[in-house]
Amino acid sequence: MTLGHAIATVRAVVSSEIPQRTPLYPIQASIGAKFIAFGGWEMPVTFAGILVEHRAVREHAGIFDISHMGEFIVAGPNAEATLNQLLTNDVRQLNVDQAQYTFLCNENGGIVDDLIVYRIAPTIYLLVVNAGNIEKDFAWFTEHLRLPVVLENESNATAAMALQGPDAPRILPAAAALPRFSIASLDVFGVACRVARTGYTGENGFEILCPAAEAEKVFGGFIQHGVKPCGLGARDTLRMEMCYPLHGQDITADTTPLEAGLGRWVALQKPEFIGREALLAQKQTGATRRLVAFRMTEKSPPPRPHYTIFVDGRRVGEVTSGTQSPSLGLGIGMGYVPTASAKAGTALEIEIRGRTFPAVVETKPLWKNTK
Amino acid sequence: MNVPKNLKYTKSHEWVRVEGRDAVIGITDHAQHELTDIVYVEPPTVSDDVEAGKECAVVESVKAASDIYAPLSGEVIEANAELTDHPELVNQDPYGRGWLFKVRMSDSSQLDDLLNPEDYVNHTGE
């Protein structure tokens, strides 16, 4: 990519295509957001710089617009059975106001999407799915329903933001007592919101859902409290340090949760769900490749998606995510390698512009939060 | 946007400062601002020849790797060694300590092909 292209990518979304904008676009534009295209959306990549925003979240707090993500409601007496048939995790484990991470898989066990399911009432579930997958997921649900349920796409009517960082409970004291992976209805700056103790950064914090029309009031409230606005750039470096997968990069319809090391969110003991047979077979024979985390062991350019991974001079896989880790000060990444090369400590080489640089397989997460 | 009057520019957002037979080259304030945090700089190899309009270096931000094009042909006589440990200088001081490399020009008439400051400002559309 040329410098001009890098700059043009930022500009193109402003001038040519018609990307979607979240309800928080105007307020973010007014405080200096720099926008990029992401999953069909025009989203802020940064405000004051990715590194300062990354540091703000690790040390204090930051607020992210995540309104591009999709929200579905699945409700009715058949909701539980429907979700247990479509999703890999077991929704029967959820009490009201609890949440779980889960996968929507195809018959081969490939990941159609990864999402969080919130049980917000005895027979009402809220699903938060990836921005680029909203239409595909909704179509998948519609096609695979076996029992009558209420299924609604609330994505356009719903705004979402993430307040992340060690200071988050002090900024939102009403939510400080929420256990991890639970959700509550709370007033935030005068707006009725759903607040969940979830996130994508590895820090303490909350994800906040509210009606689109009132999103600016909530976001503006945090900004007035001195919380730093953060963009997708920092969201990406923060999640990579935690080895949280990004759908479309680290996990896709061609990779399974077991290969990605995410089997704890697959309830194989359930009698039936889409993908179960394939995943059970893979569990029994053992996955032949694994998504590993690695760090560069010498000074090198940052690893990037699609760079080739070598073991003992043999090409074994590709980088799926990579960056210069702001917290660790070195290149980090993830990628699929044969299971035999997936153990922590295994020496890898990453090819970057025709040269190879040494790396080593590390245990996940790469950033060990000691706070 | 800072566009010093004493420099020449390219459409691909490099700047050139002429020092006799030599040309000092870097990326513009506009470019560093759009790229945000620079975390790695791969300059051309000293004593290699570069050709006007051909890629010869790479600047990497947190988000992406960007090729740098040689504004002029010639031999690379120096690369900014300070950027190895302090790539952030490109952000902090793009026209000063953040310079990238120095070329001994083989054809100084190529300078006429570069943009003057006003044209560069128009080119960026700001």
Side-chain angles (χ1 to χ4, degrees), chain A residues 35-109:
Chain A
F35 293 92
I36 55 158
F38 179 81
W41 292 78
E42 191 176 350
M43 297 298 295
V45 62
T46 184
F47 294 79
I50 293 170
L51 298 180
V52 281
E53 290 164 21
H54 182 105
R55 221 168 286 133
V57 172
R58 287 273 179 260
E59 292 168 10
H60 301 288
I63 183 86
F64 298 83
D65 176 15
I66 54 168
S67 303
H68 57 314
M69 298 191 79
E71 293 83 16
F72 300 162
I73 295 286
V74 179
N78 297 319
E80 181 188 277
T82 295
L83 292 176
N84 253 4
Q85 210 264 321
L86 288 170
L87 304 173
T88 60
N89 211 337
D90 191 347
V91 291
R92 289 172 305 186
Q93 292 169 349
L94 293 179
N95 294 320
V96 172
D97 292 338
Q98 288 182 339
Q100 68 184 191
Y101 181 60
T102 188
F103 300 100
L104 186 61
C105 280
N106 60 31
E107 290 291 350
N108 304 323

Side-chain angles (χ1 to χ4, degrees), chain A residues 1 34 50 299 304 353, chain B residues 33 37 60-61 67 84:
Chain A
M1 180 153 66
K34 200 174 291 181
I50 293 170
K299 197 165 196 63
R304 308 272 184 199
R353 295 189 285 275
Chain B
H33 184 257
D37 310 286
E60 301 215 29
S61 70
D67 290 323
T84 311

Side-chain angles (χ1 to χ4, degrees), chain A residues 33-246:
Chain A
K34 200 174 291 181
F35 293 92
I36 55 158
F38 179 81
W41 292 78
E42 191 176 350
M43 297 298 295
V45 62
T46 184
F47 294 79
I50 293 170
L51 298 180
V52 281
E53 290 164 21
H54 182 105
R55 221 168 286 133
V57 172
R58 287 273 179 260
E59 292 168 10
H60 301 288
I63 183 86
F64 298 83
D65 176 15
I66 54 168
S67 303
H68 57 314
M69 298 191 79
E71 293 83 16
F72 300 162
I73 295 286
V74 179
N78 297 319
E80 181 188 277
T82 295
L83 292 176
N84 253 4
Q85 210 264 321
L86 288 170
L87 304 173
T88 60
N89 211 337
D90 191 347
V91 291
R92 289 172 305 186
Q93 292 169 349
L94 293 179
N95 294 320
V96 172
D97 292 338
Q98 288 182 339
Q100 68 184 191
Y101 181 60
T102 188
F103 300 100
L104 186 61
C105 280
N106 60 31
E107 290 291 350
N108 304 323
I111 302 170
V112 176
D113 203 1
D114 65 332
L115 58 146
I116 293 183
V117 180
Y118 300 88
R119 188 177 182 190
I120 54 175
T123 60
I124 306 177
Y125 296 84
L126 167 69
L127 280 54
V128 178
V129 306
N130 282 298
N133 294 336
I134 295 173
E135 284 170 27
K136 179 188 67 180
D137 289 358
F138 198 78
W140 181 276
F141 269 83
T142 310
E143 285 161 24
H144 291 86
L145 288 180
R146 285 195 193 160
L147 302 165
V149 290
V150 175
L151 170 63
E152 280 170 32
N153 182 353
E154 299 277 344
S155 303
N156 289 338
T158 309
M161 52 207 98
L163 173 69
Q164 300 280 296
D167 291 349
R170 251 168 290 164
I171 295 159
L172 198 56
L178 263 184
R180 263 184 67 70
F181 272 83
S182 61
I183 187 164
S185 296
L186 291 174
D187 177 289
V188 182
F189 302 119
V191 177
C193 297
R194 291 187 193 282
V195 179
R197 197 159 209 146
T198 46
Y200 196 46
T201 64
E203 296 299 329
N204 203 342
F206 309 100
E207 291 179 308
I208 301 156
L209 301 166
C210 72
E214 303 200 83
E216 220 171 80
K217 208 168 153 190
V218 179
F219 191 86
F222 287 119
I223 298 300
Q224 277 173 8
H225 270 67
V227 181
K228 198 173 269 298
C230 298
L232 290 187
R235 188 168 162 81
D236 202 37
T237 52
L238 288 158
R239 69 99 192 161
M240 274 191 250
E241 289 182 345
M242 291 308 296
C243 305
Y244 294 152
L246 174 61

Side-chain angles (χ1 to χ4, degrees), chain B residues 49-70:
Chain B
D49 285 328
V50 295
E51 193 180 331
K54 293 276 172 68
E55 54 203 76
C56 68
V58 179
V59 169
E60 301 215 29
S61 70
V62 176
K63 285 299 281 180
S66 302
D67 290 323
I68 303 301
Y69 287 68

Side-chain angles (χ1 to χ4, degrees), chain B residues 28-87:
Chain B
T28 65
D29 181 46
H30 173 73
Q32 71 76 20
H33 184 257
E34 292 293 326
L35 291 177
T36 72
D37 310 286
I38 309 289
V39 294
Y40 192 85
V41 175
E42 192 167 292
T45 308
V46 172
S47 84
D48 273 8
D49 285 328
V50 295
E51 193 180 331
K54 293 276 172 68
E55 54 203 76
C56 68
V58 179
V59 169
E60 301 215 29
S61 70
V62 176
K63 285 299 281 180
S66 302
D67 290 323
I68 303 301
Y69 287 68
L72 302 152
S73 301
E75 181 192 344
V76 178
I77 55 170
E78 198 181 343
N80 185 354
E82 212 181 353
L83 299 181
T84 311
D85 290 323
H86 297 287

Side-chain angles (χ1 to χ4, degrees), chain A residues 245-262:
Chain A
L246 174 61
H247 191 267
Q249 272 183 217
D250 309 298
I251 54 177
T252 70
D254 298 320
T255 62
T256 73
L258 304 182
E259 291 168 340
L262 303 168

